[in-house]
């Protein structure tokens, strides 16, 4: 059963946390493609509404756009009314293409031509999830860093060699904004709001949505192992699962080989062939990734983080961490206290 969603004008609040000076609202358009991701769209538009609510100012105006001006159904069957079609959408400061799931590779000629026109109109252009694919088809991402959902990462990279495709949660390169979709859309929007109106406002919005932290553009997407190596290596997947389940007390390579029913040599061959690393190095990388997440997302002490990741002392952990990431755990945490140093222009 389908449901109809009618978007409403942003509210205002008398008791605002922040009071930016009056200025023209930033006009943001969302082009909704058929079968668009509802969670990605909501994650992108809600921070704009909350920015207006918290400040009591009309910082952002938004309009919903479809190809023909008719309502659009999301991948979940939720029908969303729009303001206009692409032929009637004008005066847009920033346009986000909310991609379909799966991506539609044909029948997009009119939209692609319109996106090129938006580039000529000097609009900032963004892709949410597979929306990045349409921006790529329009040629507006050539020479830029861009990302897309991990499912379409290789296709985007292979089909558009002029784009510097990354596996990050989102990318902001000049006037081009792309994200991997899902909840990463909120991280990207909070980042953009922070650049325009300050990180205090972005943090307040994040708190309203009960987000533990604002992830940065440097955070990579977590790609499922089965997608990376295929489904034909169940023993390898089993070995990595064992590693991920035994971080605090790491297993030896011999133990892992025994549990998955392979010889050590055979296991090492599988890791080198499919993961380009010996088991011990791959295991170490898993432990380091977890340590970095704990340092960024928890209030555990450095010693507690080290012990949770299989290190016997704080000094051993700090040395290993610096060798791996180029900075100590203490420096990692200190860097988080400062806003991201990336500067962008939002006109």
């Amino acid at each position: 059963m389908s449901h109809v969603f009618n978007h409403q004008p942003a509210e205002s609040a008398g008791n605002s946390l922040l009071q930016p000076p009056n200025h023209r609202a930033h006009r943001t358009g969302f082009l909704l493609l058929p079968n668009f991701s509802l969670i990605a769209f909501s994650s992108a538009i809600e921070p704009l509404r909350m920015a207006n609510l918290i400040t009591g100012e009309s910082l952002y105006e938004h309009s919903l756009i479809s190809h023909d001006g008719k309502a659009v159904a999301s991948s979940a069957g939720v029908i969303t009314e729009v303001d206009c079609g692409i032929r009637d959408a004008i005066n847009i400061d920033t346009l986000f293409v909310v991609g379909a799931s799966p991506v539609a590779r044909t029948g997009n000629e009119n939209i692609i031509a319109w996106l090129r026109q938006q580039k000529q109109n000097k609009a900032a252009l963004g892709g949410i999830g597979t929306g990045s694919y349409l921006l790529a088809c329009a040629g507006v991402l050539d020479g830029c860093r861009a990302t897309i959902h991990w499912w379409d990462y290789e296709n985007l990279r292979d089909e558009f060699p002029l784009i510097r495709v990354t596996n990050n949660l989102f990318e902001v390169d000049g006037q081009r904004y792309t994200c991997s979709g899902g909840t990463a859309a909120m991280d990207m929007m909070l980042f953009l709001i922070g650049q325009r109106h300050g990180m205090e406002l972005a943090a307040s919005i994040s708190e309203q949505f009960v987000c533990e932290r604002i992830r940065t553009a440097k955070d990579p997407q977590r790609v499922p192992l089965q997608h990376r190596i295929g489904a034909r290596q169940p023993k390898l997947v089993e070995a990595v699962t064992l590693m991920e389940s035994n971080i605090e007390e790491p297993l030896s390579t011999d133990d892992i080989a025994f549990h998955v029913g392979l010889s050590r040599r055979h296991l090492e061959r599988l890791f080198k062939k499919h993961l380009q690393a010996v088991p011990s190095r791959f295991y170490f990388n898993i432990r380091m990734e977890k340590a970095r997440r704990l340092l960024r997302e928890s209030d555990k002490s450095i010693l507690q983080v080290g012990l949770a990741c299989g290190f016997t002392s704080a000094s051993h952990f700090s040395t290993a961490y610096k060798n791996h990431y180029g900075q100590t755990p203490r420096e990692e945490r200190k860097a988080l206290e400062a806003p991201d140093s990336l500067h962008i222009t939002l006109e």
Side-chain angles (χ1 to χ4, degrees):
M1 178 178 176
S2 298
H3 304 275
V4 177
F5 163 71
N6 290 301
H7 71 284
Q8 301 294 330
E11 305 100 321
S12 62
N15 298 323
S16 59
L17 299 181
L18 302 169
Q19 289 290 342
N22 292 322
H23 64 289
R24 180 180 67 79
H26 190 82
R27 297 168 299 212
T28 306
F30 292 91
L31 173 61
L32 305 181
L33 302 182
N35 295 314
F36 69 92
S37 168
L38 191 61
I39 189 171
F41 169 57
S42 300
S43 296
I45 197 170
E46 279 292 296
L48 303 183
R49 178 188 69 84
M50 189 57 68
N52 291 348
L53 180 63
I54 290 175
T55 62
E57 297 280 345
S58 295
L59 302 182
Y60 296 94
E61 294 177 354
H62 65 260
S63 58
L64 307 188
I65 307 164
S66 68
H67 174 255
D68 55 5
K70 297 180 181 179
V72 188
S74 73
S75 58
V78 178
I79 299 174
T80 303
E81 301 290 342
V82 300
D83 297 294
C84 62
I86 58 176
R87 297 176 64 178
D88 299 316
I90 58 174
N91 298 325
I92 298 172
D93 296 318
T94 301
L95 172 71
F96 290 98
V97 181
V98 187
S101 180
V103 63
R105 298 183 177 277
T106 59
N108 300 312
E109 292 79 10
N110 291 340
I111 293 177
I112 290 171
W114 183 69
L115 291 174
R116 290 171 178 156
Q117 182 62 50
Q118 295 308 305
K119 178 185 177 181
Q120 294 179 6
N121 293 343
K122 307 301 182 182
L125 298 172
I128 296 175
T130 59
S132 301
Y133 179 79
L134 279 192
L135 294 182
C137 290
V140 301
L141 295 180
D142 289 353
C144 297
R145 294 188 316 277
T147 191
I148 197 169
H149 191 274
W150 57 261
W151 186 266
D152 295 288
Y153 168 82
E154 292 184 1
N155 290 333
L156 187 69
R157 182 192 60 189
D158 295 342
E159 194 170 340
F160 301 97
L162 295 181
I163 302 173
R164 291 175 284 168
V165 183
T166 77
N167 192 41
N168 290 338
L169 285 175
F170 66 89
E171 287 288 356
V172 174
D173 192 343
Q175 296 290 86
R176 301 294 176 263
Y177 321 136
T178 55
C179 76
S180 54
T183 58
M186 182 175 293
D187 297 292
M188 179 176 69
M189 298 305 286
L190 289 174
F191 177 84
L192 294 173
I193 291 171
Q195 289 293 315
R196 178 176 286 277
H197 300 290
M199 289 306 299
E200 183 182 354
L201 176 57
S204 297
I205 297 170
S206 179
E207 290 174 355
Q208 289 293 322
F209 293 133
V210 200
C211 294
E212 293 184 0
R213 73 180 182 96
I214 304 174
R215 295 175 294 180
T216 73
K218 298 177 182 178
D219 284 303
Q221 299 181 56
R222 183 167 174 81
V223 181
L225 185 64
Q226 291 89 334
H227 180 79
R228 291 161 57 190
I229 65 175
R232 296 183 179 181
Q233 299 298 331
K235 293 292 186 181
L236 186 56
V237 173
E238 186 180 351
V240 173
T241 301
L242 270 175
M243 293 176 177
E244 293 175 336
S245 302
N246 293 273
I247 301 295
E248 188 171 350
E249 297 182 5
L251 302 171
S252 69
T253 300
D254 287 329
D255 287 337
I256 296 171
F258 173 79
H259 284 299
V260 301
L262 297 176
S263 69
R264 176 181 178 129
R265 181 168 294 183
H266 189 182
L267 184 67
E268 289 176 340
R269 283 201 299 267
L270 287 178
F271 269 83
K272 289 179 181 178
K273 179 178 180 180
H274 297 284
L275 299 174
Q276 294 75 52
V278 296
S280 58
R281 171 51 60 176
F282 191 86
Y283 203 171
F284 180 78
N285 291 342
I286 291 176
R287 292 162 58 201
M288 285 289 98
E289 289 173 3
K290 180 174 182 180
R292 196 173 207 180
R293 288 197 300 273
L294 288 176
L295 287 170
R296 291 179 170 184
E297 301 173 14
S298 77
D299 58 0
K300 292 180 181 290
S301 68
I302 290 174
L303 174 59
Q304 289 173 325
V305 171
L307 293 175
C309 297
F311 294 91
T312 57
S313 68
S315 59
H316 181 203
F317 171 52
S318 294
T319 299
Y321 197 92
K322 184 171 184 178
N323 289 339
H324 191 74
Y325 287 118
Q327 59 184 355
T328 66
R330 192 176 305 279
E331 291 169 339
E332 176 81 52
R333 276 196 163 158
K334 190 173 182 180
L336 291 175
E337 297 174 1
D340 198 310
S341 60
L342 177 62
H343 295 284
I344 59 175
T345 302
L346 292 171
E347 297 296 341

